[in-house]
Amino acid sequence: MVMKRYWKYIKPYLPAFICGPILMIVEVIGEVVLPKLMANIINNGAANQDVPYIIGTGFLMILVAILMMIGGVGAAYFGTRASVGFASDLRSDVFAKVQKFSFANLDKYNTGSLVTRLTNDITQVQNLINMSLRMMLRAPGMLIGALIMAFIMNRQLSLVILVVMPVLALLIGLVIRTAFPRFGIMQKKLDVLNATIQEMLINVRVIKSFVRGTYEEEKFARANEDLRDSGLSAFKIVILNMPIMMIVMNFTTLAVVWFGGKQILAGDMPVGDLTAFTTYIVQILSSLMMLAMIMLQSSRALASLNRIKEVLDTKVDLTDEESRFPDKKVENGKIEFRDVSFRYYKDNEQPVLSHINFSVESGTVLGIIGSTGSGKTTLVQMIPRLYDADEGEILVDGVNVKDYALHNLREGVGMVLQKNVLFSGSIMENLMWGDRYASDKEIKDAAQAAQADTFIEGFTEGYQTWLGQGGVNVSGGQKQRLCIARALLKKPKILILDDSTSAVDTATEAKIRESFTSTLKDTTKIIIAQRISSVMGADQIMVLDEGEIVGKGTHEELLQTCEAYREIYDSQMDKEVSAS
Ligand code: ADP
């Protein structure tokens, strides 16, 4: 089952997966043969003072050493190739999966954790593969080879090994069992650390302006210490491996020299065999050590693999697989909500939106107003299916949004989010997100409509001005206008502006609205705003309060019928009067 799942990452690198271990065997054979040749030199060559025999065997040993080197280097090369290839393909798939995640899916993972999974966790798996390819055959190969050679050489002395091996296996087993859960904890701490770093970097400006640097440093120090402690708690077990090994190895060698010495004195064993025998003991024990290391790395990689699997197995809860009209495009931009209710957390009692009913004719303007947290953003996010309704249905051009292919639906809906995001690149490149084939004229027109043209032209490099990450080098209002221009280039049938002119002055905002009436005549527009002046001219205004529609109509109608609207209106008029 596991194999089946990961086979597709092995297949492209199959030759490397096979060649690596084969070349490793060459090295192992050499390693096992060399001590025997050495023993021959001592027993036959040195004892009989047979110089040609010594030189001949010496040359043979050099040849074996060269072959071993070729095997070792080749195995390392193919091992790296296979493991890096495997990891990079796996990473691509995990990344692609995350891209498919719906907003609701993304809400469940924190970004730091996804970053760890995509980087460190995959590296753990890569290390395991690399290590396994080089040692998986080598360790048991050397173990078995050295055992056979030792038994052939001296059966009695080999009994020492039979006593030592189970003791060592038991000790190593204990180490692994203790370390495994600690690795899982360590990866979780790494998640926290990554999340902290990420939040800090993204919000570095806010942190500075609130002078929260020290607090952030403390937060980071805590996360860092946690990681250090969990790492120490895992690795202090792992490092026990080494002293255990050494002590066992030294005692075994001591025993072999003790018993072997006696045999030599009794004339039952040639001197050369004792040197070879001690080498075999070292080989046997170090191959056990290698096996232990593989198992340790496996336990670490397994903890990581589970975390990767969790991402790959996450059911994307918003897909277009069941869409009935996958080829249909948004043509008119008529919108209808039928009895729509929604909760972010399905076990919450209070819905974020309840029983929403309204319709917007194509080409008209709908204004939405209401206090923060009343559900305005949530409502409009359901039109391009960033979230799906729990109850009721949303229709665009008379067709349920779930029956569109996501691509076609989102292609038809332009949305300027509350949190405007620009990317590092030139202004031109950023605008072309809306339409990558847009001509210079189209780009200029869109910028004009969004009242962005004048300030762009004001920059020395105009449209080629470089924007830093997140658009740091333009003002909030300029950023908002660039984002509007970007959405306009999409020539959407439905344009949603979610509080996206909040940082633009009222006069400029009025000009943007004015230009919409001429450039976007046929586009359905939804404008979420805090200021009544932003929505006053809309064909229809909706007042939202705690997830319910409490008023619907034109500005004049609402002033007559909707108390909440009148309150907002009065409070804003008061402010304007006192401001002037
Ligand atoms: P508005 O746009 O009117 O300010 P929102 O639609 O953003 O309101 O939010 C409505 C409610 O939903 C708020 O109580 C808010 O806390 C909650 N909410 C918004 N986004 C999420 C989210 N991703 N996960 C959980 N709750 C959310």
Side-chain angles (χ1 to χ4, degrees):
M1 188 59 206
V2 176
M3 200 53 200
K4 202 172 146 204
R5 160 169 229 152
Y6 298 106
W7 173 241
K8 68 185 232 209
Y9 307 111
I10 296 176
K11 208 170 150 212
Y13 311 101
L14 199 57
F17 269 93
I18 295 171
C19 290
I22 289 180
L23 284 167
M24 204 68 250
I25 296 176
V26 174
E27 197 186 348
V28 173
I29 292 176
E31 240 162 324
V32 177
V33 170
L34 276 185
K36 176 70 188 152
L37 292 177
M38 190 65 206
N40 285 350
I41 288 185
I42 298 174
N43 292 343
N44 308 335
N48 306 331
Q49 302 203 332
D50 183 348
V51 178
Y53 180 85
I54 295 177
I55 293 177
T57 317
F59 269 114
L60 191 60
M61 284 177 80
I62 292 175
L63 190 72
V64 173
I66 291 173
L67 281 178
M68 276 171 68
M69 192 189 75
I70 296 172
V73 170
Y77 171 76
F78 286 116
T80 308
R81 216 187 140 105
S83 59
V84 171
F86 181 103
S88 104
D89 289 2
L90 178 62
R91 197 163 22 236
S92 300
D93 273 9
V94 178
F95 184 76
K97 178 77 186 203
V98 175
Q99 287 269 312
K100 277 202 203 116
F101 272 13
S102 70
F103 275 32
N105 287 137
L106 284 169
D107 288 344
K108 285 199 196 95
Y109 287 96
N110 78 45
T111 320
S113 169
L114 285 177
V115 172
T116 322
R117 287 168 211 242
L118 270 160
T119 51
N120 187 289
D121 281 319
I122 291 189
T123 309
Q124 297 309 331
V125 179
Q126 176 183 320
N127 288 347
L128 173 67
I129 295 175
N130 196 356
M131 199 169 174
S132 306
L133 285 180
R134 290 162 59 183
M135 294 192 186
M136 205 64 121
L137 283 181
R138 181 188 168 131
M142 199 156 88
L143 180 67
I144 295 168
L147 269 176
I148 293 175
M149 294 299 275
F151 266 89
I152 292 175
M153 206 168 250
N154 192 327
R155 198 166 303 183
Q156 260 181 323
L157 210 49
S158 304
L159 292 178
V160 176
I161 304 169
L162 286 191
V163 175
V164 174
M165 267 179 51
V167 177
L168 195 63
L170 189 78
L171 288 174
I172 293 173
L174 272 177
V175 167
I176 291 172
R177 249 188 67 173
T178 325
F180 179 65
R182 299 182 187 207
F183 283 129
I185 297 173
M186 201 173 105
Q187 293 308 97
K188 285 215 183 81
K189 299 288 178 197
L190 194 59
D191 282 356
V192 178
L193 186 83
N194 273 341
T196 315
I197 296 175
Q198 191 165 27
E199 200 173 40
M200 190 271 287
L201 289 178
I202 293 175
N203 303 314
V204 69
R205 286 172 180 76
V206 186
I207 293 168
K208 281 192 191 300
S209 65
F210 277 84
V211 205
R212 292 278 278 182
T214 330
Y215 172 80
E216 283 298 314
E217 270 168 35
E218 282 164 13
K219 198 163 105 182
F220 176 80
R222 259 198 314 276
N224 203 11
E225 276 163 22
D226 272 359
L227 179 62
R228 180 196 63 195
D229 293 344
S230 62
L232 273 181
S233 113
F235 283 111
K236 76 177 171 213
I237 301 294
V238 175
I239 51 171
L240 267 183
N241 239 358
M242 203 65 189
I244 292 179
M245 276 307 300
M246 287 320 281
I247 200 157
V248 171
M249 197 130 80
N250 288 335
F251 270 109
T252 318
T253 320
L254 206 66
V256 166
V257 174
W258 173 263
F259 292 116
K262 278 190 169 176
Q263 286 191 359
I264 291 173
L265 286 181
D268 293 343
M269 182 178 173
V271 187
D273 280 11
L274 189 63
T275 10
F277 206 87
T278 25
T279 315
Y280 287 134
I281 296 282
V282 173
Q283 286 183 352
I284 289 167
L285 295 181
S286 58
S287 55
L288 278 176
M289 171 92 167
M290 267 189 244
L291 280 178
M293 270 162 58
I294 294 178
M295 279 189 225
L296 269 174
Q297 181 59 36
S298 306
S299 72
R300 189 164 183 202
L302 210 66
S304 288
L305 203 60
N306 280 339
R307 288 156 50 86
I308 297 165
K309 221 171 101 226
E310 206 182 342
V311 176
L312 287 174
D313 285 348
T314 299
K315 193 171 174 309
V316 177
D317 56 10
L318 200 150
T319 64
D320 53 7
E321 277 157 19
E322 282 164 27
S323 78
R324 285 196 297 155
F325 311 112
D327 296 325
K328 184 168 170 51
K329 297 207 158 70
V330 180
E331 274 153 14
N332 301 315
K334 180 175 165 23
I335 304 165
E336 195 178 347
F337 273 57
R338 284 191 192 154
D339 211 25
V340 171
S341 296
F342 177 78
R343 297 176 164 77
Y344 281 101
Y345 305 109
K346 305 308 167 204
D347 44 3
N348 270 11
E349 253 177 57
Q350 188 68 23
V352 174
L353 291 175
S354 51
H355 305 291
I356 301 290
N357 282 291
F358 68 89
S359 67
V360 192
E361 290 307 317
S362 66
T364 62
V365 182
L366 167 73
I368 306 181
I369 210 154
S371 55
T372 41
S374 55
K376 305 181 293 291
T377 304
T378 310
L379 186 144
V380 292
Q381 281 183 343
M382 303 181 106
I383 300 170
R385 276 192 85 196
L386 297 178
Y387 289 96
D388 267 342
D390 296 332
E391 287 164 35
E393 51 186 21
I394 296 150
L395 311 174
V396 167
D397 288 356
V399 171
N400 192 321
V401 284
K402 291 182 183 169
D403 288 329
Y404 283 90
L406 275 175
H407 175 80
N408 288 339
L409 176 69
R410 291 181 183 165
E411 204 52 46
V413 182
M415 191 151 174
V416 185
L417 296 168
Q418 211 165 15
K419 279 194 220 130
N420 291 302
V421 179
L422 293 167
F423 293 81
S424 35
S426 67
I427 289 186
M428 186 74 117
E429 279 165 5
N430 266 280
L431 294 182
M432 281 165 87
W433 267 62
D435 174 7
R436 64 186 147 135
Y437 303 110
S439 67
D440 285 358
K441 178 164 182 332
E442 281 172 317
I443 292 174
K444 206 169 153 54
D445 286 349
Q448 252 164 4
Q451 300 299 313
D453 186 50
T454 334
F455 78 80
I456 298 175
E457 298 284 354
F459 294 140
T460 31
E461 294 185 48
Y463 283 82
Q464 295 309 327
T465 305
W466 192 260
L467 296 179
Q469 194 182 8
V472 284
N473 45 349
V474 285
S475 78
Q478 290 172 337
K479 208 194 282 184
Q480 288 189 330
R481 281 177 275 169
L482 288 175
C483 289
I484 294 175
R486 180 175 65 184
L488 290 182
L489 268 171
K490 240 175 116 175
K491 300 195 189 66
K493 292 292 166 214
I494 298 171
L495 177 69
I496 301 169
L497 301 180
D498 184 357
D499 210 6
S500 37
T501 47
S502 55
V504 178
D505 60 277
T506 357
T508 314
E509 191 200 6
K511 278 194 210 145
I512 297 177
R513 269 205 315 276
E514 219 169 272
S515 69
F516 280 180
T517 42
S518 53
T519 48
L520 291 175
K521 263 202 304 293
D522 303 328
T523 302
T524 311
K525 288 158 285 254
I526 300 185
I527 301 174
I528 298 182
Q530 298 292 337
R531 296 193 287 245
I532 287 220
S533 62
S534 311
V535 291
M536 236 159 74
D539 299 297
Q540 187 184 191
I541 304 169
M542 217 157 70
V543 187
L544 229 56
D545 186 35
E546 294 188 5
E548 289 179 37
I549 299 177
V550 293
K552 209 165 24 174
T554 60
H555 175 66
E556 281 72 25
E557 284 165 2
L558 285 170
L559 280 181
Q560 302 293 324
T561 58
C562 178
E563 200 180 328
Y565 188 78
R566 212 166 36 235
E567 272 172 23
I568 305 173
Y569 179 76
D570 288 342
S571 70
Q572 294 190 357
M573 285 302 121
D574 280 352
K575 254 190 232 147
E576 261 174 44
V577 171
S578 57
S580 58

